[in-house]
């Protein structure tokens, strides 16, 4: 009896205030179930209006709060079941942390997981593309941690260490094509035939430019 009297004069959820608590206490005492239900619906809408920030909450949260403020004594036809009283104040479960140490803390565990996935790739081209992507991430993490004495060889060595020697990529290829640069497109060095074609075109353009300059020079003299 003393607990009920104490409950009537206490504010269970302070974010709603004393007046809402008094209305909840009153609705509990309404003898007619249909009328009690109607007033409970009206009170939920009132809770939304008096607390604009609660509009982003779903209705189930508001009904749960209503039941909590009633001390789980409100008997109405609600759209949601009454929450379990035992769950109130129950400590959350402890979040488990990954076991094992991270070998290179400046890269983080996600890099290790990406390398594990890359090892499983059977297609050589796809695996190389994965190595390049991982190398770009590792380069950005490494440069944040240590901007001095940086070299792509360090990244390749770290990839070999983390993959236990299962992932390989040519260091010279990485350097020549800047494959670990985050802004670099993932296309590789053009073939020697394409390079030769580009060089010839460049020579023709350069030759044409000299002739034009020469023509302009003669025109100026005249």
């Amino acid at each position: 009896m003393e607990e009920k009297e104490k409950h009537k004069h206490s504010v269970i959820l302070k974010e709603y205030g004393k007046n809402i608590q008094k209305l909840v206490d009153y609705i509990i005492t309404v003898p007619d179930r249909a009328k009690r239900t109607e007033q409970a619906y009206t009170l939920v809408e009132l809770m939304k209006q008096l607390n604009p920030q609660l509009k982003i909450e779903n209705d189930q949260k508001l009904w749960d709060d209503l039941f909590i403020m009633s001390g789980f004594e409100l008997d109405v036809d609600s759209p949601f079941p009454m929450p379990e009283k035992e769950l109130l104040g129950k400590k959350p479960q402890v979040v488990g942390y990954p076991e094992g140490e991270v070998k290179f803390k400046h890269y983080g565990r996600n890099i290790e997981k990406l390398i594990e996935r890359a090892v499983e790739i059977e297609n050589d081209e796809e695996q190389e593309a994965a190595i390049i992507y991982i190398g770009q991430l590792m380069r950005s993490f490494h440069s944040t941690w240590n901007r001095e004495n940086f070299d792509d060889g360090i990244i390749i060595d770290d990839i070999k260490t983390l993959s236990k020697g299962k992932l390989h990529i040519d260091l010279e290829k990485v350097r020549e094509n800047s494959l670990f640069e985050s802004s670099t497109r993932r296309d590789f060095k053009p073939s020697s035939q394409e390079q030769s074609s580009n060089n010839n075109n460049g020579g023709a353009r350069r030759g044409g430019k000299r002739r034009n300059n020469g023509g302009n020079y003669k025109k100026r003299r005249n």
Side-chain angles (χ1 to χ4, degrees), residues 6 22 33 117 119 135 158 160 162 195 198 201 220:
K6 184 179 180 181
K22 287 181 178 180
R33 181 184 178 86
R117 294 289 298 275
V119 170
D158 291 345
K160 287 181 181 179
L162 292 172
Q195 283 184 326
N198 290 336
N201 290 336
R220 285 195 299 271

Side-chain angles (χ1 to χ4, degrees), residues 6-23:
K6 184 179 180 181
H7 165 70
K8 286 182 180 180
H9 298 287
S10 62
V11 180
I12 298 177
L13 297 178
K14 291 181 170 51
E15 59 265 33
Y16 293 104
K18 186 180 292 184
N19 291 331
I20 293 292
Q21 182 66 58
K22 287 181 178 180
L23 290 172

Side-chain angles (χ1 to χ4, degrees), residues 17-78:
K18 186 180 292 184
N19 291 331
I20 293 292
Q21 182 66 58
K22 287 181 178 180
L23 290 172
V24 175
D25 296 340
Y26 166 75
I27 293 174
I28 296 173
T29 64
V30 174
D32 184 75
R33 181 184 178 86
K35 191 173 182 179
R36 195 165 60 239
T37 298
E38 182 182 351
Q39 292 180 354
Y41 272 88
T42 302
L43 183 55
V44 168
E45 292 301 318
L46 182 61
M47 290 161 64
K48 291 181 183 179
Q49 294 178 17
L50 294 178
N51 300 275
Q53 71 274 12
L54 297 177
K55 290 183 179 179
I56 61 175
E57 300 284 358
N58 57 45
D59 286 347
Q60 185 172 2
K61 168 69 165 58
L62 296 170
W63 278 96
D64 287 350
D65 290 346
L66 183 59
F67 284 122
I68 292 170
M69 286 188 287
S70 72
F72 299 93
E73 296 180 6
L74 183 61
D75 182 19
V76 293
D77 296 322
S78 66

Side-chain angles (χ1 to χ4, degrees), residues 45 48 74 129 151 168 170-171 187-188 195 203:
E45 292 301 318
K48 291 181 183 179
L74 183 61
D151 186 79
H168 306 275
D170 184 65
L171 176 59
D187 47 6
F188 301 113
Q195 283 184 326

Side-chain angles (χ1 to χ4, degrees), residues 125-142:
E125 292 184 1
E126 292 180 1
Q127 188 179 73
E128 184 174 81
I131 294 171
I132 293 170
Y133 173 71
I134 293 169
Q136 291 174 353
L137 288 176
M138 293 173 69
R139 182 187 176 98
S140 64
F141 295 155
H142 192 285

Side-chain angles (χ1 to χ4, degrees), residues 199-218 220:
N199 291 335
N200 291 336
N201 290 336
R205 285 194 297 271
R206 288 192 295 272
K209 187 174 181 181
R210 284 195 297 270
R211 286 194 296 271
N212 288 338
N213 289 339
N216 293 337
Y217 177 70
K218 289 179 180 179
R220 285 195 299 271

